[in-house]
Amino acid sequence: MNISLYQASAPRFVNMLKNLSAILDKGQAHAEARKLDAAVLTGDRLFPDMFPMTRQVQIACDSAKGAMAQLE
């Protein structure tokens, strides 16, 4: 049985992006429950030398998009 690298990789990226979406939904629900501005949370960093959350999400999406474009 032959399987392409695309077929092996695409479901993993889809799963990762769905998990990321669920995390972002939880963050939005937390912000709404605490009456916080969601933009404050997306601009925060978990550790000082990390990118802000918005950049982390952008990197995750760009990585998936770039990898799939190369494998298509």
Side-chain angles (χ1 to χ4, degrees):
M1 177 171 133
N2 291 335
I3 184 168
S4 71
L5 193 52
Y6 181 89
Q7 292 170 320
S9 301
R12 304 305 164 265
F13 282 115
V14 169
N15 188 29
M16 182 227 11
L17 292 173
K18 283 182 182 178
N19 289 338
L20 179 57
S21 179
I23 290 168
L24 294 173
D25 289 342
K26 288 181 181 184
Q28 182 178 6
H30 175 76
E32 289 172 358
R34 305 265 182 185
K35 307 234 186 300
L36 300 172
D37 182 16
V40 172
L41 293 179
T42 58
D44 282 346
R45 302 166 191 253
L46 292 176
F47 203 75
D49 66 346
M50 292 178 69
F51 288 122
M53 180 59 110
T54 52
R55 181 74 175 122
Q56 296 279 353
V57 171
Q58 184 180 20
I59 290 170
C61 294
D62 286 347
S63 296
K65 176 182 69 174
M68 291 297 95
Q70 293 296 318
L71 294 175
E72 194 169 25

